[in-house]
Amino acid sequence: MRGKRAGGRRPGVSGTREAILAAAQRGFAEHGYLATTIRGVAAAAGVDPALVLQFFGSKDGLFDAALRADPPTRDLAALLDDGGVADLGERLTRRYLELWEGRDTGPRLLAVVRGASASPSASAMVSAFMADAVMLPLARAVGTGQAELRANLTGAHLLGVATARYVLRVEPLASLDRERVVAILAPLVQHHLTGDLAGS
């Protein structure tokens, strides 16, 4: 059995930081924002809590870093560079649902949504992250009039469906076959991306 690790740095500063981030990602995904603590993350990473604070400054700083390190939405940004916008609604909808159903990405997305509702500071960090990592690249990919609004409408629509399906488990949506959901949602998402926006 391993003895309790004394305080201080583990060998390799970058490796220590990565171990802390990995432990934080697991903690936020499994326990949520409120129940995840600096002490608990430190114990899972095998370091002193003071070292976590040295790297990240606070729990909020740790949450923000864990959110941005290998973000679960990374594949969405990559998808925007793969093909044009004519069928982007279908490709984006399918990939988004796949991420929510992924063994690794699903719990992290759930942690992001729950974290956003846990505290004002966490909500602000999630909002800033989504703007930088998802909304801005999506608006650039759309590249037409009202691109920012189109990206916002698309994101809000997809997030609302994901919240009902995967967080609240609203039936019959929660049990509907994924491809059936894609078939229903994709035309609506495509309209947000490229269709006529009344009054624009």
Side-chain angles (χ1 to χ4, degrees), residues 41-154:
V41 169
V47 302
D48 190 276
L51 191 56
V52 179
L53 294 174
Q54 179 180 324
F55 276 119
F56 302 103
S58 65
K59 178 177 172 178
D60 282 349
L62 180 62
F63 179 75
D64 189 50
L67 182 63
R68 293 176 181 272
D70 189 26
T73 56
R74 180 183 58 185
D75 284 356
L76 293 180
L79 179 71
L80 302 178
D81 296 325
D82 182 22
V85 297
D87 64 342
L88 182 56
E90 180 178 349
R91 292 187 289 114
L92 183 62
T93 300
R94 179 175 288 106
R95 188 63 189 125
Y96 184 67
L97 297 180
E98 287 173 350
L99 290 176
W100 270 98
E101 295 175 17
R103 184 180 62 181
D104 297 322
T105 51
R108 292 191 61 200
L109 285 170
L110 185 60
V112 169
V113 172
R114 288 177 172 168
S117 62
S119 76
S121 58
S123 177
M125 285 183 286
V126 170
S127 178
F129 165 76
M130 292 300 293
D132 294 342
V134 180
M135 297 303 172
L136 182 57
L138 181 55
R140 287 173 176 167
V142 173
T144 60
Q146 302 289 301
E148 185 176 353
L149 175 60
R150 292 176 184 278
N152 286 171
L153 289 171
T154 298

Side-chain angles (χ1 to χ4, degrees), residues 150-169:
R150 292 176 184 278
N152 286 171
L153 289 171
T154 298
H157 198 132
L158 289 175
L159 178 59
V161 170
T163 300
R165 178 174 167 88
Y166 301 111
V167 181
L168 301 179
R169 304 292 303 172

Side-chain angles (χ1 to χ4, degrees), residues 13-31:
V13 174
S14 63
T16 301
R17 189 178 190 279
E18 291 170 358
I20 294 172
L21 279 176
Q25 289 172 343
R26 289 193 302 272
F28 288 124
E30 294 172 7
H31 309 299

